[in-house]
Amino acid sequence: MKPYTKIVAVLLAVVALLHLLRVVLNLELSVDNAEIPIWVSVLGFIIPAVLSYGLVKESQAKS
């Protein structure tokens, strides 16, 4: 796995885990007095997790 690919995969995994933490702990998030619903973090978990997994699998297939 190339270093940049590994870094991006890890960053995407961290983003996914932070969104999952928000969902599990039911943390409220607001931006400029607008509350961000929990479903945004559900998508924020799924999308980066799938991308991170895909990067790891793709880099292993090329080896």
Side-chain angles (χ1 to χ4, degrees):
M1 182 183 284
K2 292 182 180 180
Y4 291 117
T5 305
K6 188 180 287 187
I7 291 170
V8 171
V10 169
L11 286 175
L12 285 168
V14 168
V15 168
L17 289 175
L18 289 173
H19 278 287
L20 181 62
L21 185 65
R22 178 180 180 232
V23 171
V24 169
L25 296 178
N26 198 21
L27 298 174
E28 292 183 13
L29 179 66
S30 60
V31 176
D32 200 22
N33 294 328
E35 188 170 332
I36 309 300
I38 291 290
W39 66 264
V40 173
S41 282
V42 172
L43 289 177
F45 166 71
I46 294 170
I47 294 169
V50 168
L51 290 173
S52 177
Y53 179 77
L55 274 174
V56 171
K57 283 301 193 182
E58 181 182 6
S59 67
Q60 288 176 350
K62 289 183 179 181
S63 299

